């Protein structure tokens, strides 16, 4: 049980029960636009539709009408220096349809508060002033590299 | 206070099984709000966009050993939900290129889950030892692979008997002596032996170097760190003592 090693199911045998599930699910912002009652999750690669349904209904008490899953293969890219091909890990997405009348809007988790905005503006102003200063200093010696100060 | 303790002790002795029903032991007020919602996948609203989120430490094994099985079972789901929440917040922070505050929270939860599972496993093993005399763990044995190298083979159940299981025999190859593997093993062992010998020589020379550089060295510590090196022999070496003109 706790060894995460389950006996194979044989006809007439007792139903296997998972006491300590180690699946993870994360609610993600939908990749493509979805109807208001569809929620997108990224989940463990081993999870099936039935697993997702049981997970949400039993642990989170969320009713789901329909579930679709897909495995997303991320784009490959080349390493900028060496040129070998890099591929990130695959992700399993599941699309959960909520019952009629229920909707879900992904919340804005990083609200722009006034002081953060002010800090950002202040830093931007300082940077602008520094650049203008450097332009003024180097007015009479164009094309000189930045590190050359003598 | 003393009389209350006595009363509790008496109760304990008389009837252990009636204890949980006793009103003294029942928790009457619970401040935890139960919420079953999709919003459980997100942190508290006051932590949205926060620069720092304070958190406690992870559960230790010693603490978890004191808990009952039911409590552990409940705690597992609390941790599972917490981990899902943190993963969701981390992913969103990554997508929005924002700071995910206190990422060590995830490590703490993972540690707690690991410890909890270890404790459950201990109990499982103890139960199996008591009831069946075996550990109840997944059985395994030391096997020799096709190249003659040892590995731990973890056994599992198959619906087909072994002598009929063609697929298993195709995918699982074990050591059979032949000339190529013998040649490989010979060279492999030679390589291991040379590495070992080089290490011995390196350590020996390094100890001499240490003795030269630091004349009043703590011999006990040296012996502890380099148990394979014969220090008397190192001192007898002509490299010991450094370059100096005899008087």
């Amino acid at each position: 049980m706790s060894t995460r090693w389950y006996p194979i199911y044989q006809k007439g045998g007792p139903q296997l029960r998972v006491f300590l599930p180690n699946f993870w699910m994360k609610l993600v912002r939908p990749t493509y636009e979805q109807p208001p009652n569809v929620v997108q999750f990224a989940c463990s690669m081993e999870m099936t539709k039935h697993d997702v349904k049981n997970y949400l209904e039993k642990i989170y008490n969320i009713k789901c009408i329909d579930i679709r899953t897909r495995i997303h293969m991320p784009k490959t890219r080349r390493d900028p220096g060496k040129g070998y091909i890099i591929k990130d890990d695959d992700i399993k997405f599941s699309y959960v349809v909520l019952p009629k009348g229920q909707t879900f809007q992904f919340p804005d988790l990083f609200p722009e508060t006034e002081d953060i905005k002010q800090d950002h503006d202040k830093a931007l102003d300082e940077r602008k002033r520094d650049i203008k200063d450097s332009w003024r200093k180097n007015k009479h010696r164009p094309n000189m590299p930045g590190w050359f100060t003598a | 206070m003393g009389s209350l303790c006595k009363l509790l002790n008496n109760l304990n002795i008389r009837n252990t099984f009636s204890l949980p029903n006793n009103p003294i032991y029942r928790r009457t007020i619970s401040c935890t709000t139960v919420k079953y919602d999709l919003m459980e996948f997100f942190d508290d609203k006051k932590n949205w966009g926060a620069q720092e989120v304070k958190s406690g430490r992870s559960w230790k094994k010693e603490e978890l050993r004191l808990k009952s099985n039911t409590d552990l079972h409940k705690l597992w789901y609390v941790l599972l939900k917490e981990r899902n929440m943190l993963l969701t917040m981390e992913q969103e922070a990554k997508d929005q290129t924002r700071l995910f505050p206190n990422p060590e929270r995830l490590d703490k939860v993972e540690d707690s889950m690991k410890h909890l599972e270890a404790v459950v496993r201990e109990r499982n093993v103890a139960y199996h030892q008591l009831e069946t005399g075996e550990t109840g763990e997944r059985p395994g044995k030391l096997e020799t692979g096709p190249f003659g190298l040892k590995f731990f083979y973890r056994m599992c159940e198959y619906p087909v008997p072994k002598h009929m299981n063609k697929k298993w025999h195709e995918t699982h190859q074990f050591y059979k002596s032949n000339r190529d593997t013998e040649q490989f093993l010979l060279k492999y062992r030679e390589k291991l032996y040379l590495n070992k010998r080089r290490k011995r020589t390196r350590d020996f020379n390094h100890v001499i170097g240490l003795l030269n550089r630091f004349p009043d060295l703590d011999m006990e510590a040296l012996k502890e760190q380099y148990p394979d090196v014969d220090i008397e022999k190192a001192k007898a070496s002509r490299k010991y003592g450094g370059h100096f003109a005899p008087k």
Side-chain angles (χ1 to χ4, degrees):
Chain A
M1 187 266 286
S2 56
T3 55
R4 304 242 170 259
W5 173 71
Y6 299 95
I8 51 165
Y9 179 74
Q10 287 179 345
K11 215 171 177 183
Q15 192 189 347
L16 293 180
R17 289 182 193 282
V18 184
F19 291 105
L20 305 175
N22 56 354
F23 288 139
W24 55 264
M25 279 184 87
K26 44 185 173 183
L27 213 167
V28 292
R29 208 176 267 277
T31 325
Y32 307 105
E33 203 181 338
Q34 297 290 337
N37 63 337
V38 172
V39 191
Q40 185 175 343
F41 288 94
C43 56
S44 304
M45 194 52 93
E46 301 85 17
M47 280 175 104
T48 61
K49 285 175 194 174
H50 302 285
D51 287 333
V52 173
K53 192 177 170 67
N54 280 326
Y55 196 91
L56 288 178
E57 286 188 352
K58 297 279 156 58
I59 301 177
Y60 284 93
N61 203 11
I62 295 165
K63 282 267 177 300
C64 18
I65 298 296
D66 184 33
I67 288 156
R68 281 164 287 126
T69 57
R70 74 177 171 97
I71 295 175
H72 166 72
M73 190 172 83
K75 274 184 183 167
T76 52
R77 59 181 191 279
R78 280 190 183 275
D79 180 81
K82 305 268 177 161
Y84 51 79
I85 290 173
I86 301 172
K87 183 185 153 291
D88 295 331
D89 288 342
D90 289 352
I91 311 167
K92 179 170 261 188
F93 284 123
S94 58
Y95 296 88
V96 173
V97 182
L98 300 174
K100 200 175 181 182
Q102 280 190 32
T103 54
F104 176 75
Q105 175 74 38
F106 199 93
D108 180 21
L109 297 180
F110 298 98
E112 277 289 309
T113 53
E114 203 50 44
D115 47 336
I116 291 176
K117 213 175 173 185
Q118 273 176 7
D119 280 356
H120 184 254
D121 286 350
K122 204 177 151 193
L124 195 69
D125 283 347
E126 270 177 24
R127 182 87 189 111
K128 273 181 188 168
R129 207 185 56 221
D130 287 355
I131 286 181
K132 272 180 187 164
D133 265 10
S134 72
W135 284 349
R136 204 189 64 242
K137 273 181 199 162
N138 298 332
K139 204 158 67 179
H140 302 298
R141 31 179 214 177
N143 299 335
M144 199 63 87
W147 47 265
F148 190 81
T149 52
Chain B
M1 191 64 207
S3 63
L4 181 69
C5 281
K6 206 176 267 176
L7 178 77
L8 293 182
N9 278 335
N10 289 342
L11 272 174
N12 215 343
I13 292 159
R14 267 186 217 145
N15 193 349
T16 326
F17 294 103
S18 73
L19 270 179
N21 297 328
N22 195 305
I24 303 168
Y25 286 89
R26 204 181 293 153
R27 198 170 58 168
T28 45
I29 301 165
S30 169
C31 303
T32 326
T33 49
V34 182
K35 44 171 190 179
Y36 295 120
D37 198 9
L38 277 169
M39 290 318 272
E40 265 188 290
F41 279 96
F42 302 104
D43 208 348
D44 266 353
K45 203 162 183 180
K46 64 171 191 255
N47 290 336
W48 291 4
Q51 293 293 306
E52 192 187 18
V53 181
K54 293 251 169 82
S55 61
R57 58 168 172 78
S58 52
W59 284 84
K60 289 177 185 170
K61 273 187 198 169
E62 299 92 73
E63 292 163 346
L64 293 169
R65 283 193 189 109
L66 301 174
K67 300 284 175 194
S68 69
N69 283 339
T70 338
D71 282 351
L72 288 186
H73 195 224
K74 283 174 189 166
L75 180 61
W76 178 264
Y77 286 97
V78 172
L79 291 169
L80 195 74
K81 281 184 178 181
E82 183 72 9
R83 187 178 65 174
N84 282 347
M85 183 275 281
L86 290 170
L87 285 173
T88 303
M89 296 302 280
E90 190 190 31
Q91 183 63 44
E92 179 62 8
K94 202 175 163 190
D95 290 350
Q96 302 285 325
T97 54
R98 298 295 286 267
L99 178 84
F100 172 56
N102 294 65
E104 78 275 2
R105 285 181 291 164
L106 250 172
D107 298 335
K108 283 176 187 170
V109 172
E110 301 251 325
D111 274 355
S112 302
M113 289 173 94
K114 210 171 69 191
H115 291 164
L116 198 154
E117 208 170 324
V119 169
V120 172
R121 199 166 172 171
E122 273 171 20
R123 288 184 189 178
N124 210 29
V125 168
Y127 173 79
H128 272 88
Q129 289 276 21
L130 197 66
E131 293 286 325
T132 62
E134 287 165 8
T135 54
E137 298 277 300
R138 182 172 181 174
K141 59 184 174 187
L142 208 61
E143 275 282 2
T144 318
F147 298 113
L149 302 178
K150 293 257 194 299
F151 73 101
F152 190 73
Y153 176 63
R154 302 174 81 199
M155 294 193 271
C156 60
E157 293 183 349
Y158 293 94
V160 189
K162 197 172 178 179
H163 65 278
M164 288 159 70
N165 201 341
K166 212 172 149 190
K167 183 84 187 291
W168 185 88
H169 283 287
E170 276 168 13
T171 49
H172 291 73
Q173 290 183 356
F174 297 104
Y175 180 60
K176 252 190 258 166
S177 178
N178 66 53
R179 212 173 57 177
D180 291 340
T181 15
E182 291 299 332
Q183 282 286 316
F184 163 70
L185 280 177
L186 188 74
K187 280 164 186 158
Y188 182 71
R189 282 177 195 139
E190 185 186 354
K191 198 176 159 187
L192 290 184
Y193 167 70
L194 286 177
N195 277 344
K196 212 166 128 188
R197 198 176 67 181
R198 279 185 200 122
K199 186 176 179 294
R200 206 168 59 209
T201 322
R202 198 164 56 233
D203 281 353
F204 184 76
N205 287 334
H206 185 62
V207 165
I208 294 173
L210 284 176
L211 287 170
N212 283 341
R213 207 145 28 119
F214 310 105
D216 36 352
L217 200 64
D218 182 8
M219 285 301 158
E220 293 297 312
L222 193 70
K223 244 176 222 169
E224 202 179 309
Q225 201 174 351
Y226 301 99
D228 300 337
V229 178
D230 186 0
I231 294 178
E232 292 308 314
K233 200 180 161 193
K235 277 185 176 171
S237 160
R238 67 182 171 79
K239 288 179 197 165
Y240 175 65
H243 306 291
F244 61 93
K247 279 176 189 172

